[in-house]
Amino acid sequence: MDNNRLCVGLIGLGRQGHNHYNNLLTLSQIIKLKYVCDLKVDETWEREYSNIPVVTKDYFDVLNDPEVDAVVIVTSTNTHAQIIKDAALAGKHIFCEKPFSMDTNEDEIKDVLRIVKEKNVKLQMGFQRRVDPQFREIHENIISGKIGEPQIIKSTSRDPFVLDKELIKRIGTLPYDFTIHDLDLVRYMMNSNISEVYAKGGTLIDPTLKEIGDVDTIALVLQFENGTFGMIDNSRQAVYGYDQRIEVFGSEGMSKAENVSDSTVELFNKDNTKVANPLPIFTERFHQAYINEIVSFVDSVVNDKPVIADGVDAVMAERAAQAVEKSIKSGKSEKVDTVFEI
Ligand SMILES: NC(=O)c1ccc[n+]([C@@H]2O[C@H](COP(=O)([O-])OP(=O)(O)OC[C@H]3O[C@@H](n4cnc5c(N)ncnc54)[C@H](O)[C@@H]3O)[C@@H](O)[C@H]2O)c1
């Protein structure tokens, strides 16, 4: 700690890494960003990141520095488990983007979580929707009993455009990269593990996604361990923007969040009604949530509090994502194992 600021190394500066980079800079009162690290570092990076003390290709430079308290890992998904393990062994606290992996190798995940526990470091996974201001209000409505006993949850989550196939190969298919956010959020809201999924998925937008074993559209029914139900729909292409809505229905009422736009002005005349489109992309829609999750991570490290989404949360979301992929292929509903011990 330097002047009560957490000393941090950011590992992985691609699409989402840049998002975190910009947010970490705005948090300079609580974070000293000492390292940026990416395999792609070349001579231009020293200039571009001249405000950062060290720019490196090798994440062990970050881990071997005793001044570094914590790492923020935003690398390609298939590197997460190894980098978390190495960071924990080096005694660093860890924020890592979701998901753990793209293939749910639970022996490897258990090994990593065991080391995290033994080394007594914090591990927070990047499920930022839990701390989105609107979704948090819905969660508070649930836990304060304002809608009675929750019975059904509905989550709609649609991206604005189809991602490049090479990027999908690095970060995961629709269930692992995208649906996993809904799966985590509905589990968190209903305060119950997902025990069964029935999923239909297909390529209604880009049939070439089949070449990499992916789909672009998913409709999903869920059962939770406590007997309640959920529905999720996902698309890789909503032509009107980044569509993010959620609704929880309970015995005493209902709470829902609509899309966020950059204008609240609506126009009504005899021909039509006009409202602004939703915000265009995840970095804008969840801007505050991405900041909140890092602030919460720092608070957990500094004040030794539980993190908002831990390794077991990530395992439960990933198992549900795996069941979604399985159900799409089998055409049947699939059970999700909810027992996990490390
Ligand atoms: N929480 C969210 O809303 C959200 C949004 C987007 C992406 N993500 C997650 O963030 C992660 C990164 O996604 P992205 O879209 O930025 O991918 P990306 O491919 O654009 O970026 C990944 C970066 O990691 C670097 N990298 C890979 N291995 C490395 C290593 N060993 N050491 C240092 N750098 C390494 C690559 O060079 C690349 O620049 C993925 O796991 C993805 O699922 C989360």
Side-chain angles (χ1 to χ4, degrees):
M1 299 282 284
D2 155 34
N3 292 331
N4 285 329
R5 296 189 310 164
L6 206 68
C7 182
V8 168
L10 172 60
I11 306 173
L13 272 102
R15 212 174 48 122
Q16 176 69 342
H18 274 99
N19 185 27
H20 281 295
Y21 170 75
N22 290 326
N23 293 336
L24 290 169
L25 291 184
T26 68
L27 295 172
S28 59
Q29 296 218 324
I30 55 169
I31 284 174
K32 171 184 172 182
L33 183 57
K34 184 168 180 188
Y35 286 83
V36 292
C37 167
D38 195 289
L39 291 177
K40 289 188 194 142
V41 164
D42 62 23
E43 56 291 347
T44 62
W45 284 55
E46 291 281 356
R47 241 177 300 122
E48 196 176 339
Y49 297 98
S50 56
N51 53 331
I52 305 298
V54 192
V55 177
T56 178
K57 263 186 178 180
D58 183 355
Y59 71 79
F60 280 100
D61 289 345
V62 185
L63 302 186
N64 290 335
D65 182 343
E67 196 198 351
V68 170
D69 302 299
V71 289
V72 172
I73 303 169
V74 202
T75 51
S76 322
T77 300
N78 64 359
T79 66
H80 289 178
Q82 185 64 48
I83 304 180
I84 294 173
K85 184 175 172 178
D86 292 334
L89 285 170
K92 309 300 181 193
H93 299 287
I94 304 152
F95 172 93
C96 182
E97 264 305 344
K98 44 50 69 179
F100 247 125
S101 73
M102 297 191 282
D103 54 8
T104 321
N105 176 347
E106 289 217 358
D107 288 341
E108 186 183 25
I109 293 174
K110 276 187 184 163
D111 182 40
V112 170
L113 292 183
R114 212 174 293 122
I115 291 167
V116 166
K117 196 172 172 191
E118 277 165 18
K119 291 288 172 180
N120 198 22
V121 292
K122 301 285 180 197
L123 168 63
Q124 180 175 321
M125 299 298 292
F127 288 108
Q128 84 283 353
R129 294 184 193 193
R130 290 181 177 218
V131 284
D132 172 72
Q134 299 202 28
F135 296 167
R136 194 151 65 178
E137 201 175 323
I138 293 186
H139 189 247
E140 277 158 17
N141 288 340
I142 297 171
I143 55 177
S144 61
K146 290 199 180 82
I147 63 164
E149 290 297 326
Q151 294 168 345
I152 302 171
I153 187 162
K154 291 200 313 198
S155 177
T156 288
S157 185
R158 303 174 188 151
D159 239 350
F161 48 80
V162 179
L163 299 179
D164 179 72
K165 285 206 230 17
E166 289 308 311
L167 178 62
I168 293 173
K169 283 192 214 161
R170 292 198 296 276
I171 65 176
T173 54
L174 194 63
Y176 272 90
D177 178 55
F178 198 70
T179 316
I180 201 161
H181 276 295
D182 303 84
L183 294 165
D184 175 68
L185 190 66
V186 298
R187 173 177 172 266
Y188 177 62
M189 292 279 189
M190 299 304 265
N191 193 27
S192 182
N193 287 318
I194 296 166
S195 55
E196 192 170 349
V197 308
Y198 179 60
K200 287 285 171 192
T203 51
L204 307 185
I205 301 158
D206 180 359
T208 69
L209 285 168
K210 285 190 195 120
E211 291 162 15
I212 56 165
D214 201 6
V215 294
D216 53 40
T217 308
I218 290 178
L220 177 54
V221 177
L222 309 167
Q223 170 128 40
F224 295 89
E225 244 173 353
N226 64 5
T228 61
F229 305 109
M231 282 169 270
I232 294 172
D233 82 81
N234 295 140
S235 170
R236 282 205 180 274
Q237 183 176 280
V239 293
Y240 47 85
Y242 188 53
D243 190 0
Q244 299 294 319
R245 289 170 284 145
I246 186 157
E247 176 188 303
V248 187
F249 173 78
S251 56
E252 303 292 330
M254 189 262 286
S255 184
K256 65 175 182 168
E258 293 294 336
N259 275 314
V260 180
S261 305
D262 60 10
S263 168
T264 59
V265 176
E266 300 181 5
L267 169 71
F268 299 81
N269 63 24
K270 70 179 170 49
D271 297 322
N272 60 33
T273 301
K274 193 173 161 223
V275 296
N277 279 342
L279 290 174
I281 195 156
F282 65 99
T283 46
E284 291 187 30
R285 168 61 185 85
F286 289 118
H287 175 69
Q288 192 57 48
Y290 292 123
I291 290 179
N292 289 352
E293 69 178 350
I294 296 294
V295 171
S296 178
F297 172 64
V298 173
D299 184 36
S300 296
V301 170
V302 172
N303 298 310
D304 195 17
K305 292 182 184 167
V307 293
I308 51 152
D310 64 15
V312 177
D313 294 319
V315 169
M316 289 301 152
E318 193 163 322
R319 279 184 181 174
Q322 190 182 35
V324 169
E325 269 198 344
K326 214 170 154 192
S327 175
I328 290 171
K329 285 184 188 139
S330 70
K332 298 184 200 144
S333 69
E334 298 289 345
K335 301 269 187 216
V336 183
D337 180 8
T338 57
V339 178
F340 184 78
E341 277 163 26
I342 52 170

